[in-house]
C-alpha cells in the first residue's frame, strides 16, 4: 500500500491500536478504495460508450477543434476528466 495510506494508520498504532485493529482499518480503506475505483470505472465506461472513444482521443478532439465546442461536449469533457483523475487517485489504494 502507498505510504500516504499507511500514515494515518501508523499514527493510530502509536496511540494504541493493536495489529488486528490496524489490519481491519487497512482492509476497510482498501475495500472503500475498490468501491470508489469501480464507480469511476463505470462512469468512464459510460463516457467511452457515449462518444465511442477513450478520454485521450476525446481530449485531443476538444483541444484541436477549430469551431466552438458545444456546451454539452465541454461539460462532458470536464466531467470525464474528473472521473479519470478520481479513478487514478482511488486506484492507488487498491
Amino acid at each position: 500500500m502507498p505510504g500516504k495510506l499507511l500514515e494515518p494508520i501508523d499514527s493510530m498504532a502509536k496511540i494504541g491500536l493493536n495489529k488486528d485493529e490496524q489490519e481491519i482499518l487497512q482492509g476497510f480503506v482498501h475495500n472503500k478504495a475498490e468501491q470508489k475505483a469501480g464507480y469511476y470505472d463505470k462512469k468512464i465506461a459510460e463516457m467511452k460508450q457515449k462518444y465511442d472513444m477513450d478520454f485521450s482521443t476525446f481530449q485531443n478532439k476538444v483541444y484541436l477543434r477549430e469551431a466552438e465546442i458545444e456546451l454539452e461536449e465541454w461539460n462532458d469533457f470536464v466531467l470525464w476528466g474528473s472521473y479519470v483523475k478520481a479513478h487514478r487517485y482511488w486506484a492507488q489504494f487498491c
Side-chain angles (χ1 to χ4, degrees):
M1 282 187 196
K4 286 173 30 177
L5 180 61
L6 296 176
E7 286 174 14
I9 295 171
D10 287 341
S11 65
M12 286 183 223
K14 291 175 187 171
I15 60 171
L17 289 179
N18 65 40
K19 187 169 178 75
D20 291 339
E21 291 169 323
Q22 291 177 38
E23 288 175 5
I24 289 168
L25 283 174
Q26 288 173 341
F28 174 76
V29 171
H30 179 78
N31 288 340
K32 195 55 142 170
E34 284 181 338
Q35 288 174 358
K36 292 285 191 176
Y39 170 80
Y40 290 113
D41 271 339
K42 180 181 172 190
K43 298 307 257 178
I44 290 167
E46 289 172 3
M47 289 295 199
K48 281 182 179 179
Q49 183 177 6
K50 180 175 181 178
Y51 288 99
D52 194 29
M53 62 183 79
D54 64 9
F55 178 70
S56 179
T57 305
F58 186 69
Q59 183 178 31
N60 288 336
K61 176 184 170 186
V62 168
Y63 287 156
L64 297 176
R65 180 172 281 209
E66 293 180 14
E68 279 191 38
I69 189 167
E70 294 177 23
L71 185 57
E72 180 182 3
E73 281 188 345
W74 179 255
N75 288 340
D76 285 347
F77 171 67
V78 172
L79 276 174
W80 199 347
S82 67
Y83 296 153
V84 169
K85 185 175 181 178
H87 179 267
R88 285 183 190 140
Y89 174 79
W90 287 107
Q92 72 181 334
F93 301 116
C94 292

